[in-house]
Amino acid sequence: MDVTVVFTLLLIGSLTEAQLQQQPDPDSNSYLKPAGSHVEAGNPSEHQQTCTQDINAALREMSASLAGLKVEVKYLQKQNEAHEKELELQKRELDKLKQQDQAHEGELITIKASANITENQVEALRREGEVKQVAFSASLMDSGHGDIGPFNAQTPLVFRNVVTNIGNAYNPNTGFFIAPVRGVYHFVFHIHGHGHASHATGAVLFKNGERTFIAYEYQPSHFASTANSVTLLLEVGDVVFLRQWENTRIHDSDNHHTTFSGHLIFTM
């Protein structure tokens, strides 16, 4: 309810009560002339005039109070509007900060994803670099000395004394070299034997089941040594190994005369 209406109702109530209190009792002697007064006893007009003046004074006082209250209410309303505007600005600022926080979270997720991709790329490059480093070298016997063969058929040679095996592509248990990456490889093999009238010295290099180059030497006495090399384009998983040629003898010792070596030249 408006403040003006409230104070008006209160004023009316107060005036009504005052009028009731000021109204003379017809059975009383209130209209009798007081002692020392020049007013005629029992004159109601003079009494009503006095009451009216009191009421007007009260009205003026209440009007002034009401005007002051109106000013105060307007001031409070302005303060309230200012507070509401300030709260609205703070709310907008908070919403802006929330949006910025969400944007930062999105950026953080993107950065983390980029970091994971970068780490994966680095790891892939590291592994690729390791794969590109492929080389091995081994001799036939890991200890002692002796002859191998002769055999009636070609027999796989297993070079057990591994000197170098970068990339672990050579298996000293099977004698197989398995290509870890597509590329061009170079292989060298040296075969040593004692000269014999009936048996030569020789071995052949295979790529998968395909025969490539052979190293063969016949000497009826003393020593027989032979060697060969080959450059091959290998796919991942291709197998390269040596077989002793049939009816031949191969010798090795602690001096490591008979060897098998290979390395990756470049990837394709």
Side-chain angles (χ1 to χ4, degrees):
M1 184 180 293
D2 188 79
V3 176
T4 305
V5 177
V6 173
F7 276 94
T8 302
L9 293 176
L10 292 175
L11 178 61
I12 293 172
S14 300
L15 294 176
T16 303
E17 185 178 356
Q19 288 175 349
L20 291 174
Q21 291 177 355
Q22 295 295 331
Q23 187 174 357
D25 188 355
D27 296 332
S28 66
N29 294 324
S30 59
Y31 291 106
L32 295 177
K33 178 181 176 181
S37 174
H38 297 285
V39 181
E40 292 292 332
N43 188 355
S45 299
E46 182 180 354
H47 184 74
Q48 288 178 354
Q49 184 178 0
T50 303
C51 290
T52 302
Q53 292 175 352
D54 293 339
I55 291 171
N56 290 334
L59 285 173
R60 286 192 297 270
E61 183 178 353
M62 296 184 70
S63 296
S65 299
L66 182 58
L69 289 173
K70 285 183 177 180
V71 172
E72 186 175 355
V73 167
K74 288 182 179 180
Y75 175 75
L76 292 175
Q77 287 178 344
K78 289 181 179 180
Q79 278 190 331
N80 186 43
E81 290 175 357
H83 291 162
E84 288 180 353
K85 290 180 180 179
E86 184 177 357
L87 289 175
E88 183 66 23
L89 291 175
Q90 292 178 353
K91 182 179 178 182
R92 292 178 181 177
E93 187 67 21
L94 181 60
D95 293 339
K96 184 178 179 181
L97 291 175
K98 287 182 179 180
Q99 292 176 357
Q100 289 178 350
D101 185 57
Q102 292 176 354
H104 291 162
E105 288 181 358
E107 291 177 359
L108 182 60
I109 293 173
T110 303
I111 291 171
K112 288 182 177 179
S114 299
N116 291 333
I117 293 174
T118 303
E119 289 178 0
N120 294 336
Q121 289 175 341
V122 170
E123 180 65 18
L125 290 173
R126 186 185 65 82
R127 291 179 180 177
E128 184 178 354
E130 290 180 353
V131 169
K132 287 181 179 179
Q133 299 175 358
V134 180
F136 78 97
S137 187
S139 63
L140 189 60
M141 290 186 176
D142 54 0
S143 62
H145 60 89
D147 293 331
I148 298 177
F151 302 106
N152 294 328
Q154 295 178 4
T155 304
L157 291 172
V158 180
F159 295 79
R160 300 190 181 278
N161 182 42
V162 177
V163 177
T164 303
N165 194 13
I166 299 173
N168 294 317
Y170 175 74
N171 189 337
N173 297 314
T174 61
F176 291 168
F177 173 86
I178 301 176
V181 63
R182 186 176 189 270
V184 176
Y185 297 80
H186 185 70
F187 299 93
V188 179
F189 51 103
H190 295 268
I191 308 299
H192 178 75
H194 289 119
H196 194 278
S198 301
H199 305 290
T201 298
V204 59
L205 186 141
F206 279 81
K207 170 189 172 183
N208 298 324
E210 177 186 358
R211 186 172 68 185
T212 60
F213 291 180
I214 187 174
Y216 188 90
E217 179 68 20
Y218 170 75
Q219 289 289 344
S221 61
H222 304 292
F223 296 100
S225 294
T226 182
N228 211 337
S229 63
V230 62
T231 299
L232 299 174
L233 172 61
L234 301 180
E235 302 292 337
V236 176
D238 281 350
V239 180
V240 177
F241 59 95
L242 284 170
R243 281 181 177 173
Q244 182 176 353
W245 197 258
E246 63 267 20
N247 199 33
T248 62
R249 298 197 314 172
I250 296 176
H251 178 80
D252 198 20
S253 68
D254 294 337
N255 293 322
H256 310 298
H257 298 283
T258 301
T259 60
F260 179 33
S261 302
H263 64 275
L264 172 65
I265 301 175
F266 53 83
T267 58
M268 293 288 290

